[in-house]
Amino acid sequence: MAGGPPKALPSTGPHSLRDMPHPLAGSSSEEAVGGDSTPSPDLLMARSFGDKDLILPNGGTPAGTSSPASSSSLLNRLQLDDDIDGETRDLFVVVDDPKKHVCTMETYITYRITTKSTRVEFDLPEYSVRRRYQDFDWLRSKLEESQPTHLIPPLPEKFVVKGVVDRFSEEFVETRRKALDKFLKRITDHPVLSFNEYFNIFLTAKDLNIYKKQGIALLTRMGESVKHVTGGYKLRTRPLEFAAIGDYLDTFALKLGTIDRIAQRIIKEEIEYLVELREYGPVYSTWSTLEGELAEPLEGVSACIGNCSTALEELTDDMTEDFLPVLREYILYSDSMKSVLKKRDQVQAEYEAKLEAVALRKEDRPKVPADVEKCQDRMECFNADLKADMERWQNNKRQDFRQLLMGMADKNIQYYEKCLMAWESIIPLLQEKQEAKFPVTAVLS
């Protein structure tokens, strides 16, 4: 790659974010929204609100409305001293109660978002609003714009293949509800994102459309200016620690993609096998009507196959609803992390370009301009936040996959135990028939 910096790039070292001072601390008099004591990159971004969207109609409780709940229920239903990584939890968010809405122009699903918190940023201890998928998408876009140095959790994929998956079926809606719930919980557990102003608005606003009318243009211009500065300038190399992260993410996504494809193939074959079993069992039952002494054993075999079919159906459902969504979430997660790495590279390229411009000046000791120092601060901010989020992501990944694999092992054990019990149950029946047929032999023995 062409073009090299005239001096070594600064590194924040292997420490996590909480172990080092934030590069932007004290650089602005503006406080972080929501009382967050950790300054964040959105101090450098314009705080404004985005594009227009549709008002959400809703049968019963109006969609997009915020309804306070009694404060007594907060104490009765929550334990605010729950501990995650040694930190007291003071914010709880739940996604539930999906509802289908049929309008003249469209049909869609909304979900109830219940928020309970003791944070001073919330005027009430409990809120309840209804949101649809595009509202979650708006939130994620705003988090990416206002917190560009942080890893934003992925949303479940919006589009499905028509005719293959019914996006209004109970199974699909429930799978999406779980994914949206996990998306909000990831944000809730993040020490910076959970204090973001847009997250607060999403959880509490009566009407999100008020906040979807302006702001995109300015942020787009800022992004274009970065592309203009970095256009035609290539990084010579990433710092080793970030190059290692990039290589790991490439390999991780490749492995998960392979597992996902094979798992889907296995599930497809299990479904086909299930269809065969459901046709196979009744054959023995029909046959039993033609037999005398064999009638009862044949009925037993038919029932046994039916029990195995039920067990296989449960295993397939568990794989579809619990195993595959986790794989897909982490595939999307790796894409999100790569996106943050790319943004970090853009800032590094901008920093290198500005340093090179300063070095080309004819002055013996050129003074480092303020914009170069500001760019350096941004890069250090990216480095610190990215490494802290990567460490947090790795911890979550280990926990999630340990739980996933334990669950998968347990479900498979249960499946084979049910099949074993089903087949063992007909052995005494067959033995009784054999003893009844040969009574003399049985007595002599």
Side-chain angles (χ1 to χ4, degrees):
M1 295 185 180
K7 74 173 187 178
L9 294 174
S11 173
T12 55
H15 305 290
S16 64
L17 181 60
R18 66 181 62 181
D19 296 328
M20 63 183 71
H22 201 286
L24 301 183
S27 62
S28 173
S29 60
E30 181 181 4
E31 295 182 355
V33 175
D36 185 10
S37 59
T38 304
S40 63
D42 62 352
L43 295 177
L44 298 177
M45 309 290 284
R47 287 201 174 116
S48 51
F49 304 107
D51 47 349
K52 186 176 181 181
D53 200 0
L54 298 174
I55 297 177
L56 308 181
N58 177 41
T61 305
T65 59
S66 174
S67 57
S70 63
S71 58
S72 60
S73 65
L74 179 68
L75 299 177
N76 294 333
R77 298 168 61 186
L78 291 182
Q79 293 292 333
L80 296 184
D81 57 352
D82 286 355
D83 201 84
I84 292 184
D85 295 334
E87 298 178 359
T88 301
R89 293 191 61 182
D90 53 6
L91 178 62
F92 293 80
V93 179
V94 175
V95 179
D96 61 7
D97 189 28
K99 287 185 179 180
K100 183 177 181 180
H101 305 267
V102 180
C103 303
T104 304
M105 300 298 295
E106 62 178 340
T107 301
Y108 59 91
I109 303 293
T110 65
Y111 304 85
R112 181 175 62 188
I113 317 296
T114 304
T115 303
K116 304 167 188 178
S117 178
T118 56
R119 291 183 181 180
V120 296
E121 294 78 29
F122 295 90
D123 296 329
L124 300 170
E126 187 170 339
Y127 293 85
S128 180
V129 299
R130 296 201 73 84
R131 301 285 187 248
R132 60 188 294 185
Y133 182 90
Q134 67 181 31
D135 297 326
F136 287 85
D137 192 42
W138 172 85
L139 170 62
R140 191 177 189 281
S141 296
K142 287 302 179 184
L143 290 175
E144 283 190 327
E145 292 168 1
S146 59
Q147 311 278 182
T149 65
H150 284 288
L151 171 62
I152 310 301
L155 278 171
E157 295 167 304
K158 179 177 181 179
F159 299 104
V160 296
V161 180
K162 292 183 178 181
V164 177
V165 178
D166 179 8
R167 65 190 184 97
F168 297 113
S169 66
E170 291 185 7
E171 294 80 8
F172 178 82
V173 171
E174 176 60 16
T175 299
R176 171 162 287 184
R177 183 203 65 78
K178 290 179 180 178
L180 294 175
D181 183 74
K182 180 172 286 188
F183 168 72
L184 292 187
K185 282 181 169 55
R186 301 281 196 202
I187 300 173
T188 299
D189 293 338
H190 196 282
V192 176
L193 300 181
S194 64
F195 285 93
N196 185 275
E197 61 177 329
Y198 295 111
F199 187 45
N200 187 300
I201 290 169
F202 176 85
L203 296 177
T204 64
K206 293 182 179 181
D207 186 1
L208 278 181
N209 296 291
I210 300 174
Y211 307 97
K212 292 183 175 182
K213 295 181 179 179
Q214 54 184 313
I216 293 295
L218 176 60
L219 291 169
T220 301
R221 287 197 299 270
M222 294 178 67
E224 291 295 333
S225 66
V226 173
K227 291 180 182 178
H228 175 73
V229 172
T230 59
Y233 188 88
K234 300 294 184 180
L235 290 176
R236 177 172 295 175
T237 182
R238 277 177 177 167
L240 291 178
E241 55 191 330
F242 296 110
I245 291 176
D247 293 341
Y248 170 79
L249 291 174
D250 289 339
T251 304
F252 177 74
L254 180 63
K255 297 298 183 185
L256 278 195
T258 302
I259 293 175
D260 181 58
R261 288 192 299 274
I262 295 175
Q264 290 190 59
R265 222 164 40 231
I266 291 174
I267 291 174
K268 180 181 178 182
E269 292 173 358
E270 286 178 343
I271 293 175
E272 293 173 352
Y273 176 51
L274 181 60
V275 172
E276 298 292 340
L277 280 180
R278 286 172 175 168
E279 294 180 0
Y280 182 52
V283 174
Y284 287 91
S285 181
T286 304
W287 181 17
S288 67
T289 60
L290 304 177
E291 300 291 341
E293 295 181 354
L294 283 177
E296 193 173 356
L298 289 173
E299 284 287 356
V301 172
S302 178
C304 172
I305 295 174
N307 292 334
C308 291
S309 299
T310 302
L312 180 60
E313 183 178 13
E314 293 174 354
L315 178 64
T316 303
D317 289 342
D318 289 331
M319 288 284 288
T320 303
E321 296 172 7
D322 298 329
F323 185 74
L324 291 183
V326 175
L327 293 181
R328 290 167 183 163
E329 182 199 15
Y330 273 92
I331 291 173
L332 295 173
Y333 239 135
S334 64
D335 292 338
S336 298
M337 181 66 81
K338 291 177 185 178
S339 177
V340 180
L341 271 175
K342 186 176 180 180
K343 293 176 185 176
R344 195 215 73 86
D345 290 345
Q346 289 178 342
V347 175
Q348 179 181 335
E350 179 183 0
Y351 177 60
E352 291 175 346
K354 290 183 177 181
L355 277 179
E356 187 172 298
V358 172
L360 291 175
R361 295 177 184 176
K362 296 182 179 181
E363 304 173 16
D364 293 336
R365 293 184 178 180
K367 182 179 179 181
V368 179
D371 63 327
V372 177
E373 294 181 347
K374 183 178 179 180
C375 189
Q376 180 181 358
D377 287 343
R378 289 178 60 202
M379 187 177 64
E380 292 184 357
C381 182
F382 256 108
N383 292 346
D385 290 349
L386 182 56
K387 286 191 288 186
D389 280 358
M390 183 66 180
E391 180 181 352
R392 184 178 298 105
W393 179 76
Q394 289 282 16
N395 291 334
N396 289 337
K397 177 173 64 67
R398 284 191 291 269
Q399 180 179 347
D400 289 344
F401 276 93
R402 184 180 294 113
Q403 181 179 355
L404 178 70
L405 297 176
M406 287 290 291
M408 183 173 65
D410 185 55
K411 296 297 182 181
N412 275 275
I413 291 172
Q414 291 180 22
Y415 164 70
Y416 287 108
E417 284 180 342
K418 290 177 181 178
C419 291
L420 179 63
M421 290 175 60
W423 285 108
E424 286 182 339
S425 66
I426 66 171
I427 292 178
L429 183 63
L430 295 173
Q431 290 176 336
E432 289 176 3
K433 291 294 180 182
Q434 185 178 11
E435 291 174 358
K437 187 175 182 180
F438 304 103
V440 178
T441 305
V443 171
L444 293 176
S445 60

